[in-house]
Amino acid sequence: MNAQQTIHESLSRWDARNPTRPNTYKDDYRLQSTTGGQVQLDLTSGAFDAYLQIVDSRTGRVIAANDDGGGGTNARLTLNLQAGVGYIVRVTSYWANETGNYSLTLSTPNAQPPANGFNSTYGYGLVNAAAAVAQSIGRTPFAPVADTDHSWSNNLVNAPEVWAQGYIGRNVVVAVVDTGVDYTHSDLDANIWRNTREIADNGIDDDGNGFVDDVRGWNFANGNNNPMDVNGHGTHVAGTIAAENNGTGITGVAYNAQIMPVKVLGDDGSGTNLSVARGIRYAADNGANVINLSLGGGYSSDIESAIAHAVSRGAIVVMAAGNEGAARPSNPASLAIQYGVSVGAIDSSGNLASFSNRAGTDSRMQHVVAPGVNILSTRPGGRYQSLNGTSMATPHVAGVVALMRQANPNLTDAQVRQILTSSAIRASSSLSSPVDPASLTLTLVPRRSRR
């Protein structure tokens, strides 16, 4: 069952200026529903290059935007409505001073029953440490405990329930393949992996692994043994995974795990596919039980081959789905159909972040979601910072996998994938289903004003 509503209007020089785009005009429409669910908005025009924005009616902040998503110069957005929340649909142009006729269509597509609990937005749902770790050792989900003051995101993934059972990531190595890690940070320094087979600063490759004096990992971006983070991204990721439970700062999901710093991205956050692939192989060959990939780019056969190698060595690869607001995970998370896990981002209310890539339509995609909005974590120089992104969601899942690997070190890639997806919390999945037209009360009312 579906419904569709189309409005035919025009942008003119009498319309209000768009405050978010220089020298453009706008028509605003109010969008609200009494029920949560998914709607699609299409903006088409033969007169101008259409640009579609969704604005938070309370703050005026643009929370989603699209240009050319409907093909050609048209725009398309899929929006997950929260019941009773007001949105502004803003019709505007991509180029300055453009005017002319347009059509705005609101539709509620036919609902597709989820396959085995999978849906195209949230995948299999919110990662659930209490159920996943328990299932790893053949137990029922661990009993709830009172929320801690460590962080809302730890509480949301049910990490405290696992800590109460004694699982804190002990003896598990998690490689952060990223911009490096500030291994001197007071909330991380006790949990930094050390290559005990290597003698520091003697200029000799003591363990014969091809890397000289790699006591703390390796820097593939600069070709040396110092994986220090200047950018901040990798340090933030590392804190979410394993910041120490020391009474200060923050506490990681697996706060006793070891972080292996593998720097594959430069201080500007960019890098090559070959460096990333080499970093993944290094992590797997030097004992990483879990590999966190909070990075993305175009498809690379080198990276795919490295991930396959890591899986063959017993590592679990956890990958960020991407921040393009796309319908499916980007690379390398797209490989989660076969290897590892893809991770999308939600906020503290369980709603998918507007920037987060979705799960796609293939239920083979092992995709879960985790907190990725306003995540407080470690920053170089002993500081802390809040960041958004699927990069921030991914280490929550890597931390959960570290807890699973402590509970059962023999878990395979296939077993971890199956446990994570089957134990995920699906309570938020209703938001990804189309709005029931029978309960839909939407109003699109032009709010026009003369200048």
Side-chain angles (χ1 to χ4, degrees), residues 380-401:
R383 295 172 291 168
Y384 298 86
Q385 182 181 21
S386 289
L387 293 176
N388 303 327
T390 56
S391 286
M392 285 62 253
T394 304
H396 284 89
V397 178
V400 171
V401 175

Side-chain angles (χ1 to χ4, degrees), residues 168-189:
I168 55 178
R170 188 179 293 112
N171 298 323
V172 178
V173 178
V174 184
V176 174
V177 179
D178 212 290
T179 61
V181 175
D182 180 1
Y183 45 79
T184 67
H185 197 293
S186 61
D187 225 359
L188 294 171
D189 54 358

